[in-house]
Amino acid sequence: MTALRRVVAALLLVAAVGACADSGTKQAAPSSSSAAPASTTAPASTRPFHVTRRDITVEDTSRPTNAAPDRNLSEKPSRTLPVMLLVPDGPGPFPLLEFSHGVTGTGPAYIGYLQPIAEAGYVVAAPTFPLSSGPGGEIGDYVNQPGDVYFVIDSVIKMSGDANDPLHGKVDADHIAVAGHSLGAMTTYGAVYNSCCTQPRVNASIVLSGVETPFPNGDYNARPTIPLMLAHGAKDTTIVVSSGDALYEKSTSPTAYVRFADATHNSIFVGENGKLLDQASIAWLDKWLRNDNAGFDALPAAVTASGNATLQTKNL
C-alpha cells in the first residue's frame, strides 16, 4: 500500500468503509467568486418536473486507468465512465449538477437522493468511476477522479450543444455545481478547493460525509471561495463527524452545514433525514445557481422543525 493510500485509509476508518456501497438506495422518494452569474436558466415555477433517465458512457482517451492487481485489472490507456443522466422534461436550459459516488458504489445507487434534485429543475450527471466502484473498489484512485468530474461535465455540455443529441439545449453551462458522498465527497472537495484541480466555473459544491484528503501536485493553502454546503451524521463511524466539523471551521467560502444528530454514514439519505437533505441541497443549488433565496431562507425553520439536525452558516 502506498503512503498516500495509508493516509487515506486512516482518514476513512477503513474497517467500516464498505458501508458506502448502498448509499442513497434506501431513501423514500421524496474561482473565487461567491456569486453565480445572472441566471438564464429555465424557471423553476413548474416544479416538480417530470424527469427522464438516460444512461450513457463517455471515454477520456487523454488519461489512463491504472492497474488494480488486487482485482485482476490491468492498466488501460483510457478512462471509461458510465454516466447516469437525469434530465428534466422541458425546453431548458437547466443548471448542471455532477455527483460523485462513494467507494464500492455507483452513480445510479444514489438515485433516491438525486431524483428530487432533477425534479427541481437540474440536469444531474452521476458517473460511475472505473476503479473505486463495485466490490473491492480502489480507494486510492480518488486522486484521479477530479479529472473524471470535469471530463463528465465537459462531455455533458458538449452533448447539449449538439443539435442531433436529445440533450440539445438542456444544459446551462454557466451554472454548474459538483457534489459527492464519502470518497465522492473527497473527490468533490479536491476538485473544487485543492490547487491541483480547482476550476472557477464551478458555482457551488455539496460535500456529504466528507473529509479533507491530500492530492498530488496541489494543496489547500489558497482555497477558492466557491460556496460550500456540508452535511454529516453525528453517529457516522466511517468518516467521523469531526471531519465535517473541521471542513466547516476551515472553510473561507459562503458555507452551510447541516449536522444530523441521529444519522450514520449512509442514513443521512434515509427517511426524514433524506427528505431534509434533499430540501437543503435544492435550497443551496437554488441560491447559487438560480439566484433564488426562497428555499434557503426557509431552511432554518425546516431544520429546527425536524428535531434531528442543526444548521450552521458563515460568510453568507
Side-chain angles (χ1 to χ4, degrees), residues 17-23 25 102-106 109-110 266:
V17 81
C20 298
D22 65 350
S23 304
T25 58
V103 68
T104 74
T106 65
Y110 290 81
N266 291 331

Side-chain angles (χ1 to χ4, degrees), residues 107-289:
Y110 290 81
I111 193 168
Y113 167 65
L114 297 172
Q115 179 83 15
I117 295 174
E119 290 173 354
Y122 293 89
V123 172
V124 175
T128 295
F129 297 114
L131 292 183
S132 67
S133 60
E138 291 283 315
I139 294 172
D141 197 51
Y142 83 90
V143 297
N144 297 307
Q145 292 180 175
D148 297 334
V149 167
Y150 289 117
F151 183 77
V152 167
I153 289 171
D154 288 337
S155 298
V156 171
I157 290 172
K158 183 177 180 181
M159 291 165 61
S160 181
D162 182 351
N164 296 315
D165 194 284
L167 199 62
H168 179 61
K170 294 278 192 176
V171 177
D172 181 353
D174 292 325
H175 294 84
I176 298 171
V178 295
H181 175 239
S182 193
L183 197 74
M186 293 157 50
T187 298
T188 298
Y189 197 75
V192 179
Y193 300 104
N194 193 289
S195 62
C196 71
C197 312
T198 185
Q199 294 189 10
R201 60 177 167 160
V202 174
N203 302 118
S205 71
I206 299 174
V207 170
L208 309 175
S209 307
V211 60
E212 180 183 301
T213 48
F215 285 80
N217 305 314
D219 56 52
Y220 297 100
N221 294 337
R223 302 166 201 254
T225 55
I226 295 169
L228 167 66
M229 180 187 131
L230 300 163
H232 217 119
K235 296 183 179 179
D236 191 335
T237 58
T238 301
I239 298 177
V240 293
V241 72
S242 59
S243 300
D245 298 345
L247 291 179
Y248 181 77
E249 291 303 319
K250 292 178 180 180
S251 179
T252 57
S253 304
T255 307
Y257 182 17
V258 182
R259 199 177 192 273
F260 292 92
D262 66 346
T264 62
H265 192 62
N266 291 331
S267 68
I268 61 170
F269 295 103
V270 177
E272 294 303 312
N273 289 339
K275 292 177 183 178
L276 182 60
L277 180 61
D278 264 314
Q279 181 179 350
S281 299
I282 293 165
W284 191 247
L285 296 172
D286 283 353
K287 180 175 179 64
W288 299 108
L289 276 67

